[in-house]
Amino acid sequence: MTRLLELLAVGLSLGMLYALIAMGFVIIYKGTRVVNFAQGSLLALGAYAVARIAPSAGFWAAAAAGIVITVAGALLIRFLLARARGHDHMALAIATIGVDVVLTTELTRRIGPDVLSMLDPWGAATVRLGGVTVPQARIAAMAVAVVVLGLLLALFRYTGWGVAMRAASADAEAASLMGIRLGRVATVSWMIGGALAAGAGVFMSTFPSAGLDSHSSTIALAAIPAIILGGLDSTHGAIVGGVTVGMAKALTAGYGSELGFLGAGFGDVMPYVLMVAVLMWRPSGLFGTREFIRV
Amino acid sequence: MSDRTNLLRRALPVGGLLLALLVPFYLSGFWLLLGVMVMAAAIGAIGLNLLVGTAGQLSLAHAFFLAVGAYAYCWFAGAPGPGGGGITLTGLELPPLLAAVLAVATAGAAGLLFSPVAGRVRGLYLGLASLALVFLGQHLLFNLSSVTGGFNGRSVPELSVLGFELTGRDPELTLLGVPVGDRERQWYVALVCVVVAYVFARRVLAGRPGRALVLMRENETAAGVVGVPVSRYKAAAFVLSSMYAGLAGVLLAQAFQRVVPEYFGLVLSVEYLAMIVIGGLGSVTGAVLGAAFVTGLPSLLSHYSGLLTFLAEPGTSGVDPAVAARLVFGVAIVAVILLEQGGLVALGRRLRPAPRPPAGAAGQGEPGPPPDPASHPVLPPQDMTTASS
């Protein structure tokens, strides 16, 4: 029983991090209709910046700097893509794959075989809560994720920018005719997407993970099942999808010995299996807008 | 003048083919191996371009289908016995040529299995969903070790007909004083396959299915209204592209002589996507050019790394040839999308001495979006229309 509880706690905390990453994808998609395949390398960029700055400036300053650098990176991509305005969304998505290749290659080269530590204040400390052991870093991650996701949902619902973004995502042309500046919506979306990637990157590289290594940019790919599960354009879906993916991963990995017939490391594949199953059932995800076409 | 261009149009492929037939008599093993790999990649890229460029369905699963082709061939043709790392391999020991055909069919069947998703999901969604296949594939390759050999991979049986090895050295053969060894034979096998794959793709695109796919990409509703069975065509495009990938996998396996799971990861899928984007989306010729560029660049950079002093030794922290190649093709993808969506093919069209009137407007050398970008989501497949007219 404690084992199940422990796995659920791990799954929930991991799931909240996936929800952060998935939210980044979804916000950029809603604001600009671009699926940003460079999200993974942005995540690694943020974590890399923190790891390099933290030894001299301390964790908190480094975290702030890491977020600023990643936001700048995201804005760079946004203005690069704006040069290709009018092109279709698939071409733009492919362009972000190109950006991802460049950024990942450079980061991989810089990181090399090292494993970089975030030098975060939580270290490897753990807390016991009713017989369940949870790393402090994961509790901090969960707290941050809950606050950030809550703020974002409130932002969408109550602020002018939130309304503008929802309008732009529902019908960009009509929104533009109503005086909503699509360019500004896009800029803010990319900034939020970049900041979310940096934050998730830092927490993904703290305990219990060993640190940032050259494979870290693939972490964001594990959030792709989350956005497909929830629906590409659904913010609530991103959270539900993220938690589902985290739980599925933690449970399959935790009961790995019982599920041995599925092969070693099935936990990493489980989210993708779930994703394909959901797609067979509902092609636009659980909460995504169903496409309907008026003729 | 149009007569002369027509003549050139006919003479060019024939001349190129003759040249390709003569190549093994003059070039060394390094160039032949590179050529085989380029030709195999070209077949895979042609298949991916049918799906992404023509049908407008993004796929990142190409590495998976390459793996299915390569491993299925090894399993159908391979002998059972001990593999590396204490694994007992299974295999059917079928005649290799039959095994190759079955391997391509297996890749197609794998594509068909995915068709409930591939047929219903549109464009970008498919791109994201197809990621699942790459990761599932990796998992299977590492864990299904009696078929795949697990981490250590599996050695590839030679392709042969009635005891004559088409890709090996046995029996020895000398033509005009030049020994025709394994690399030479592989070159010819790959050449035959790439020509067949090229011509077949051109015919498919010039005909009814190709036009239906283009219409589907431009306007799915309109396609449905004029009677194109949309989801069946989507699934069919996916299956055809996976069969191309399967054939490419079989040929690559011949060139490598040993297949390992690590090779067939997401990076490979992205490389194939890079090929078709750089070469020109929707163009068969573009796929071939892109394959040559993306496959050739890393090999050429490391071959000439002695001359290119700005490149670091592999394994050091500097920019080694592999890293340099990846940086170049990453930048090339972005540049193509931003500046010239037609890729290398469109660039070639611009440089053509006497452009026909409609192409004249785009021939001013000014990089920018096409006149009416909204109606041309990807590249209008001019390559195909000129071929049929």
Side-chain angles (χ1 to χ4, degrees), chain B residues 219-268:
Chain B
N219 190 337
E220 210 176 293
T221 320
V225 169
V226 298
V228 176
V230 170
S231 53
R232 225 171 65 208
Y233 264 59
K234 274 187 192 171
F238 198 79
V239 170
L240 184 60
S241 116
S242 23
M243 288 173 75
Y244 267 89
L247 180 59
V250 173
L251 286 175
L252 279 175
Q254 297 297 333
F256 291 151
Q257 291 165 342
R258 182 167 199 90
V259 281
V260 287
E262 232 188 322
Y263 175 75
F264 298 98
L266 184 61
V267 171
L268 189 68

CSV table of all heavy atoms in Angstrom, one decimal, chain B residues 219-268:
chain,number,residue,atom,x,y,z
B,219,ASN,N,-7.3,21.2,-49.8
B,219,ASN,CA,-8.6,21.4,-49.3
B,219,ASN,C,-9.3,20.0,-49.1
B,219,ASN,O,-9.8,19.4,-50.1
B,219,ASN,CB,-9.4,22.3,-50.2
B,219,ASN,CG,-10.7,22.7,-49.5
B,219,ASN,OD1,-11.2,22.0,-48.6
B,219,ASN,ND2,-11.3,23.8,-50.0
B,220,GLU,N,-9.3,19.6,-47.9
B,220,GLU,CA,-9.8,18.2,-47.6
B,220,GLU,C,-11.3,18.1,-47.9
B,220,GLU,O,-11.7,17.1,-48.5
B,220,GLU,CB,-9.6,17.9,-46.1
B,220,GLU,CG,-9.3,16.4,-45.9
B,220,GLU,CD,-9.0,16.2,-44.4
B,220,GLU,OE1,-7.9,16.6,-44.0
B,220,GLU,OE2,-9.8,15.6,-43.7
B,221,THR,N,-12.0,19.2,-47.6
B,221,THR,CA,-13.5,19.1,-47.8
B,221,THR,C,-13.7,19.0,-49.3
B,221,THR,O,-14.6,18.2,-49.8
B,221,THR,CB,-14.1,20.4,-47.3
B,221,THR,OG1,-13.5,20.7,-46.1
B,221,THR,CG2,-15.6,20.2,-47.1
B,222,ALA,N,-13.1,19.9,-50.1
B,222,ALA,CA,-13.3,19.8,-51.6
B,222,ALA,C,-12.9,18.5,-52.1
B,222,ALA,O,-13.7,17.9,-52.9
B,222,ALA,CB,-12.4,20.9,-52.2
B,223,ALA,N,-11.9,17.9,-51.6
B,223,ALA,CA,-11.5,16.5,-52.1
B,223,ALA,C,-12.6,15.5,-51.8
B,223,ALA,O,-13.0,14.7,-52.6
B,223,ALA,CB,-10.2,16.1,-51.4
B,224,GLY,N,-13.2,15.6,-50.6
B,224,GLY,CA,-14.2,14.7,-50.2
B,224,GLY,C,-15.4,14.9,-51.1
B,224,GLY,O,-16.1,14.0,-51.5
B,225,VAL,N,-15.7,16.2,-51.4
B,225,VAL,CA,-16.9,16.5,-52.2
B,225,VAL,C,-16.8,16.0,-53.6
B,225,VAL,O,-17.8,15.5,-54.2
B,225,VAL,CB,-17.1,18.1,-52.2
B,225,VAL,CG1,-18.2,18.4,-53.3
B,225,VAL,CG2,-17.6,18.5,-50.9
B,226,VAL,N,-15.6,16.0,-54.2
B,226,VAL,CA,-15.5,15.5,-55.6
B,226,VAL,C,-15.2,14.0,-55.6
B,226,VAL,O,-15.0,13.4,-56.6
B,226,VAL,CB,-14.3,16.2,-56.4
B,226,VAL,CG1,-14.6,17.7,-56.5
B,226,VAL,CG2,-13.0,15.9,-55.8
B,227,GLY,N,-15.4,13.4,-54.4
B,227,GLY,CA,-15.4,11.9,-54.4
B,227,GLY,C,-14.1,11.2,-54.1
B,227,GLY,O,-13.9,10.0,-54.4
B,228,VAL,N,-13.1,12.0,-53.5
B,228,VAL,CA,-11.9,11.3,-53.1
B,228,VAL,C,-12.2,10.7,-51.7
B,228,VAL,O,-12.6,11.4,-50.8
B,228,VAL,CB,-10.7,12.3,-53.0
B,228,VAL,CG1,-9.5,11.7,-52.4
B,228,VAL,CG2,-10.4,13.0,-54.3
B,229,PRO,N,-11.9,9.4,-51.6
B,229,PRO,CA,-12.1,8.8,-50.3
B,229,PRO,C,-11.0,9.2,-49.3
B,229,PRO,O,-9.9,8.6,-49.3
B,229,PRO,CB,-12.1,7.3,-50.5
B,229,PRO,CG,-11.4,7.1,-51.9
B,229,PRO,CD,-11.5,8.4,-52.6
B,230,VAL,N,-11.2,10.3,-48.6
B,230,VAL,CA,-10.1,11.0,-48.0
B,230,VAL,C,-9.3,10.1,-47.0
B,230,VAL,O,-8.1,10.0,-47.1
B,230,VAL,CB,-10.6,12.3,-47.2
B,230,VAL,CG1,-9.5,12.9,-46.4
B,230,VAL,CG2,-11.1,13.3,-48.3
B,231,SER,N,-10.0,9.5,-46.0
B,231,SER,CA,-9.3,8.7,-45.0
B,231,SER,C,-8.6,7.5,-45.7
B,231,SER,O,-7.5,7.1,-45.2
B,231,SER,CB,-10.1,8.4,-43.8
B,231,SER,OG,-11.3,7.7,-44.3
B,232,ARG,N,-9.2,6.9,-46.7
B,232,ARG,CA,-8.5,5.8,-47.3
B,232,ARG,C,-7.2,6.3,-48.0
B,232,ARG,O,-6.2,5.6,-48.0
B,232,ARG,CB,-9.5,5.1,-48.3
B,232,ARG,CG,-9.4,3.6,-48.1
B,232,ARG,CD,-10.5,2.9,-48.9
B,232,ARG,NE,-10.3,3.0,-50.3
B,232,ARG,CZ,-11.3,2.9,-51.2
B,232,ARG,NH1,-12.6,2.8,-50.7
B,232,ARG,NH2,-11.2,3.1,-52.4
B,233,TYR,N,-7.3,7.4,-48.7
B,233,TYR,CA,-6.1,7.9,-49.4
B,233,TYR,C,-5.0,8.3,-48.4
B,233,TYR,O,-3.9,8.1,-48.6
B,233,TYR,CB,-6.5,9.1,-50.2
B,233,TYR,CG,-6.7,8.7,-51.7
B,233,TYR,CD1,-7.7,7.8,-52.0
B,233,TYR,CD2,-6.0,9.2,-52.7
B,233,TYR,CE1,-8.0,7.4,-53.3
B,233,TYR,CE2,-6.2,8.9,-54.0
B,233,TYR,CZ,-7.2,7.9,-54.3
B,233,TYR,OH,-7.4,7.5,-55.6
B,234,LYS,N,-5.4,8.9,-47.2
B,234,LYS,CA,-4.4,9.2,-46.2
B,234,LYS,C,-3.7,8.0,-45.8
B,234,LYS,O,-2.5,7.9,-45.7
B,234,LYS,CB,-5.1,9.9,-45.0
B,234,LYS,CG,-5.3,11.3,-45.1
B,234,LYS,CD,-5.8,11.8,-43.8
B,234,LYS,CE,-6.4,13.2,-43.8
B,234,LYS,NZ,-7.0,13.6,-42.6
B,235,ALA,N,-4.5,6.9,-45.5
B,235,ALA,CA,-3.9,5.7,-45.0
B,235,ALA,C,-3.1,5.1,-46.1
B,235,ALA,O,-2.0,4.6,-45.8
B,235,ALA,CB,-5.0,4.7,-44.6
B,236,ALA,N,-3.5,5.2,-47.3
B,236,ALA,CA,-2.8,4.6,-48.4
B,236,ALA,C,-1.4,5.3,-48.6
B,236,ALA,O,-0.4,4.7,-48.8
B,236,ALA,CB,-3.6,4.6,-49.7
B,237,ALA,N,-1.4,6.6,-48.5
B,237,ALA,CA,-0.2,7.4,-48.6
B,237,ALA,C,0.8,7.0,-47.5
B,237,ALA,O,2.0,6.8,-47.7
B,237,ALA,CB,-0.5,8.9,-48.5
B,238,PHE,N,0.2,6.8,-46.3
B,238,PHE,CA,1.1,6.3,-45.2
B,238,PHE,C,1.7,5.0,-45.4
B,238,PHE,O,2.9,4.7,-45.2
B,238,PHE,CB,0.2,6.3,-43.9
B,238,PHE,CG,1.0,6.3,-42.7
B,238,PHE,CD1,1.6,7.5,-42.2
B,238,PHE,CD2,1.2,5.2,-41.9
B,238,PHE,CE1,2.3,7.5,-41.0
B,238,PHE,CE2,2.0,5.2,-40.8
B,238,PHE,CZ,2.5,6.4,-40.3
B,239,VAL,N,0.8,4.0,-45.9
B,239,VAL,CA,1.3,2.7,-46.2
B,239,VAL,C,2.4,2.7,-47.3
B,239,VAL,O,3.5,2.1,-47.2
B,239,VAL,CB,0.2,1.7,-46.6
B,239,VAL,CG1,0.7,0.4,-47.1
B,239,VAL,CG2,-0.8,1.5,-45.5
B,240,LEU,N,2.2,3.5,-48.4
B,240,LEU,CA,3.1,3.5,-49.5
B,240,LEU,C,4.4,4.1,-49.0
B,240,LEU,O,5.5,3.6,-49.3
B,240,LEU,CB,2.6,4.4,-50.6
B,240,LEU,CG,3.5,4.4,-51.9
B,240,LEU,CD1,3.6,3.0,-52.4
B,240,LEU,CD2,2.9,5.4,-52.9
B,241,SER,N,4.4,5.2,-48.2
B,241,SER,CA,5.6,5.8,-47.7
B,241,SER,C,6.3,4.8,-46.7
B,241,SER,O,7.6,4.8,-46.7
B,241,SER,CB,5.3,7.1,-47.0
B,241,SER,OG,5.6,7.1,-45.6
B,242,SER,N,5.6,4.0,-46.0
B,242,SER,CA,6.3,3.1,-45.1
B,242,SER,C,7.0,1.9,-45.9
B,242,SER,O,8.0,1.4,-45.5
B,242,SER,CB,5.4,2.5,-44.0
B,242,SER,OG,4.1,2.5,-44.3
B,243,MET,N,6.3,1.6,-47.1
B,243,MET,CA,7.0,0.6,-47.9
B,243,MET,C,8.3,1.1,-48.5
B,243,MET,O,9.3,0.4,-48.6
B,243,MET,CB,6.0,0.1,-49.0
B,243,MET,CG,4.9,-0.8,-48.4
B,243,MET,SD,3.6,-1.2,-49.6
B,243,MET,CE,4.5,-2.4,-50.6
B,244,TYR,N,8.3,2.4,-48.9
B,244,TYR,CA,9.5,3.0,-49.4
B,244,TYR,C,10.6,2.9,-48.3
B,244,TYR,O,11.7,2.6,-48.6
B,244,TYR,CB,9.2,4.4,-49.8
B,244,TYR,CG,8.9,4.6,-51.3
B,244,TYR,CD1,7.6,4.5,-51.8
B,244,TYR,CD2,9.9,4.8,-52.2
B,244,TYR,CE1,7.3,4.7,-53.1
B,244,TYR,CE2,9.7,5.0,-53.6
B,244,TYR,CZ,8.4,4.9,-54.0
B,244,TYR,OH,8.1,5.0,-55.3
B,245,ALA,N,10.1,3.3,-47.1
B,245,ALA,CA,11.1,3.2,-46.0
B,245,ALA,C,11.6,1.8,-45.8
B,245,ALA,O,12.8,1.6,-45.5
B,245,ALA,CB,10.4,3.8,-44.7
B,246,GLY,N,10.7,0.8,-45.9
B,246,GLY,CA,11.2,-0.5,-45.7
B,246,GLY,C,12.2,-0.9,-46.7
B,246,GLY,O,13.2,-1.5,-46.4
B,247,LEU,N,12.0,-0.6,-48.0
B,247,LEU,CA,13.0,-0.9,-49.0
B,247,LEU,C,14.4,-0.1,-48.7
B,247,LEU,O,15.4,-0.7,-48.8
B,247,LEU,CB,12.5,-0.4,-50.4
B,247,LEU,CG,13.5,-0.7,-51.6
B,247,LEU,CD1,13.8,-2.2,-51.7
B,247,LEU,CD2,12.9,-0.2,-52.9
B,248,ALA,N,14.3,1.1,-48.3
B,248,ALA,CA,15.5,1.9,-47.9
B,248,ALA,C,16.2,1.1,-46.8
B,248,ALA,O,17.4,1.0,-46.7
B,248,ALA,CB,15.1,3.3,-47.5
B,249,GLY,N,15.4,0.6,-45.8
B,249,GLY,CA,16.0,-0.1,-44.7
B,249,GLY,C,16.7,-1.3,-45.1
B,249,GLY,O,17.8,-1.6,-44.7
B,250,VAL,N,16.1,-2.1,-46.1
B,250,VAL,CA,16.8,-3.3,-46.6
B,250,VAL,C,18.1,-2.9,-47.2
B,250,VAL,O,19.2,-3.6,-46.9
B,250,VAL,CB,15.9,-4.0,-47.6
B,250,VAL,CG1,16.7,-5.2,-48.2
B,250,VAL,CG2,14.6,-4.5,-47.0
B,251,LEU,N,18.1,-1.9,-48.0
B,251,LEU,CA,19.4,-1.5,-48.7
B,251,LEU,C,20.4,-1.0,-47.7
B,251,LEU,O,21.6,-1.3,-47.8
B,251,LEU,CB,19.1,-0.4,-49.7
B,251,LEU,CG,18.4,-0.9,-51.0
B,251,LEU,CD1,18.0,0.3,-51.9
B,251,LEU,CD2,19.3,-1.9,-51.7
B,252,LEU,N,20.0,-0.2,-46.7
B,252,LEU,CA,20.9,0.4,-45.7
B,252,LEU,C,21.6,-0.8,-45.0
B,252,LEU,O,22.7,-0.8,-44.7
B,252,LEU,CB,20.2,1.3,-44.8
B,252,LEU,CG,20.0,2.7,-45.3
B,252,LEU,CD1,19.2,3.5,-44.3
B,252,LEU,CD2,21.3,3.4,-45.5
B,253,ALA,N,20.7,-1.8,-44.6
B,253,ALA,CA,21.2,-3.0,-43.9
B,253,ALA,C,22.4,-3.6,-44.7
B,253,ALA,O,23.4,-4.0,-44.2
B,253,ALA,CB,20.1,-4.0,-43.6
B,254,GLN,N,22.2,-3.7,-46.1
B,254,GLN,CA,23.2,-4.3,-46.9
B,254,GLN,C,24.5,-3.5,-46.8
B,254,GLN,O,25.6,-4.0,-46.8
B,254,GLN,CB,22.8,-4.3,-48.4
B,254,GLN,CG,21.5,-5.2,-48.6
B,254,GLN,CD,21.8,-6.6,-48.3
B,254,GLN,OE1,22.9,-7.1,-48.4
B,254,GLN,NE2,20.8,-7.4,-48.0
B,255,ALA,N,24.4,-2.2,-46.8
B,255,ALA,CA,25.6,-1.3,-46.7
B,255,ALA,C,26.3,-1.4,-45.4
B,255,ALA,O,27.5,-1.5,-45.3
B,255,ALA,CB,25.2,0.1,-47.0
B,256,PHE,N,25.5,-1.5,-44.3
B,256,PHE,CA,26.1,-1.5,-43.0
B,256,PHE,C,26.6,-2.9,-42.6
B,256,PHE,O,27.5,-3.0,-41.8
B,256,PHE,CB,25.0,-1.1,-41.9
B,256,PHE,CG,24.6,0.3,-42.0
B,256,PHE,CD1,23.3,0.7,-41.6
B,256,PHE,CD2,25.5,1.2,-42.5
B,256,PHE,CE1,22.9,2.0,-41.7
B,256,PHE,CE2,25.1,2.6,-42.5
B,256,PHE,CZ,23.8,2.9,-42.1
B,257,GLN,N,26.0,-4.0,-43.1
B,257,GLN,CA,26.3,-5.4,-42.8
B,257,GLN,C,26.0,-5.8,-41.4
B,257,GLN,O,26.1,-6.9,-41.0
B,257,GLN,CB,27.7,-5.7,-43.2
B,257,GLN,CG,27.9,-5.6,-44.7
B,257,GLN,CD,29.3,-5.6,-45.1
B,257,GLN,OE1,30.2,-5.2,-44.4
B,257,GLN,NE2,29.6,-5.9,-46.4
B,258,ARG,N,25.6,-4.8,-40.6
B,258,ARG,CA,25.1,-5.1,-39.2
B,258,ARG,C,24.2,-4.0,-38.8
B,258,ARG,O,24.5,-2.8,-39.0
B,258,ARG,CB,26.3,-5.2,-38.2
B,258,ARG,CG,25.8,-5.5,-36.8
B,258,ARG,CD,27.0,-5.9,-35.9
B,258,ARG,NE,26.4,-6.7,-34.8
B,258,ARG,CZ,26.3,-8.0,-34.8
B,258,ARG,NH1,26.7,-8.7,-35.8
B,258,ARG,NH2,25.7,-8.6,-33.7
B,259,VAL,N,23.0,-4.4,-38.3
B,259,VAL,CA,22.0,-3.4,-37.9
B,259,VAL,C,22.0,-3.3,-36.4
B,259,VAL,O,21.9,-4.3,-35.7
B,259,VAL,CB,20.6,-3.6,-38.5
B,259,VAL,CG1,20.5,-3.2,-39.9
B,259,VAL,CG2,20.2,-5.1,-38.3
B,260,VAL,N,22.0,-2.1,-35.9
B,260,VAL,CA,21.9,-1.9,-34.4
B,260,VAL,C,20.8,-0.9,-34.1
B,260,VAL,O,20.5,0.0,-34.9
B,260,VAL,CB,23.2,-1.3,-33.9
B,260,VAL,CG1,24.3,-2.3,-33.8
B,260,VAL,CG2,23.7,-0.1,-34.6
B,261,PRO,N,20.1,-1.1,-33.0
B,261,PRO,CA,18.9,-0.4,-32.7
B,261,PRO,C,19.1,1.1,-32.6
B,261,PRO,O,18.3,1.9,-32.9
B,261,PRO,CB,18.4,-0.9,-31.4
B,261,PRO,CG,19.3,-1.9,-30.9
B,261,PRO,CD,20.3,-2.2,-32.0
B,262,GLU,N,20.3,1.5,-32.1
B,262,GLU,CA,20.6,2.9,-31.8
B,262,GLU,C,20.4,3.8,-33.0
B,262,GLU,O,20.0,4.9,-32.9
B,262,GLU,CB,22.0,3.0,-31.3
B,262,GLU,CG,22.1,3.8,-30.0
B,262,GLU,CD,23.6,4.0,-29.7
B,262,GLU,OE1,24.4,3.1,-29.9
B,262,GLU,OE2,23.9,5.1,-29.2
B,263,TYR,N,20.8,3.2,-34.2
B,263,TYR,CA,20.7,4.0,-35.4
B,263,TYR,C,19.3,4.5,-35.7
B,263,TYR,O,19.1,5.6,-36.3
B,263,TYR,CB,21.3,3.1,-36.5
B,263,TYR,CG,21.2,3.8,-37.9
B,263,TYR,CD1,22.1,4.8,-38.3
B,263,TYR,CD2,20.3,3.4,-38.8
B,263,TYR,CE1,22.1,5.4,-39.5
B,263,TYR,CE2,20.2,3.9,-40.1
B,263,TYR,CZ,21.1,4.9,-40.4
B,263,TYR,OH,21.1,5.5,-41.6
B,264,PHE,N,18.3,3.7,-35.4
B,264,PHE,CA,16.9,4.0,-35.9
B,264,PHE,C,16.1,4.9,-34.9
B,264,PHE,O,15.0,4.6,-34.6
B,264,PHE,CB,16.2,2.7,-36.1
B,264,PHE,CG,16.8,1.8,-37.2
B,264,PHE,CD1,17.7,0.8,-36.9
B,264,PHE,CD2,16.6,2.1,-38.5
B,264,PHE,CE1,18.3,0.0,-37.9
B,264,PHE,CE2,17.2,1.4,-39.5
B,264,PHE,CZ,18.1,0.3,-39.2
B,265,GLY,N,16.8,5.9,-34.3
B,265,GLY,CA,16.1,6.7,-33.4
B,265,GLY,C,15.5,7.9,-34.0
B,265,GLY,O,15.4,8.1,-35.2
B,266,LEU,N,15.0,8.8,-33.1
B,266,LEU,CA,14.3,10.0,-33.6
B,266,LEU,C,15.2,10.9,-34.5
B,266,LEU,O,14.8,11.5,-35.5
B,266,LEU,CB,13.8,10.8,-32.4
B,266,LEU,CG,13.0,12.1,-32.7
B,266,LEU,CD1,11.8,11.7,-33.5
B,266,LEU,CD2,12.7,12.8,-31.5
B,267,VAL,N,16.5,10.9,-34.2
B,267,VAL,CA,17.5,11.7,-35.0
B,267,VAL,C,17.4,11.3,-36.5
B,267,VAL,O,17.4,12.2,-37.3
B,267,VAL,CB,18.9,11.5,-34.5
B,267,VAL,CG1,19.9,12.1,-35.4
B,267,VAL,CG2,19.0,12.1,-33.1
B,268,LEU,N,17.2,10.0,-36.7
B,268,LEU,CA,17.1,9.5,-38.1
B,268,LEU,C,15.9,10.1,-38.8
B,268,LEU,O,15.9,10.5,-39.9
B,268,LEU,CB,17.2,8.0,-38.1
B,268,LEU,CG,17.3,7.4,-39.5
B,268,LEU,CD1,18.7,7.7,-40.1
B,268,LEU,CD2,17.1,5.9,-39.5
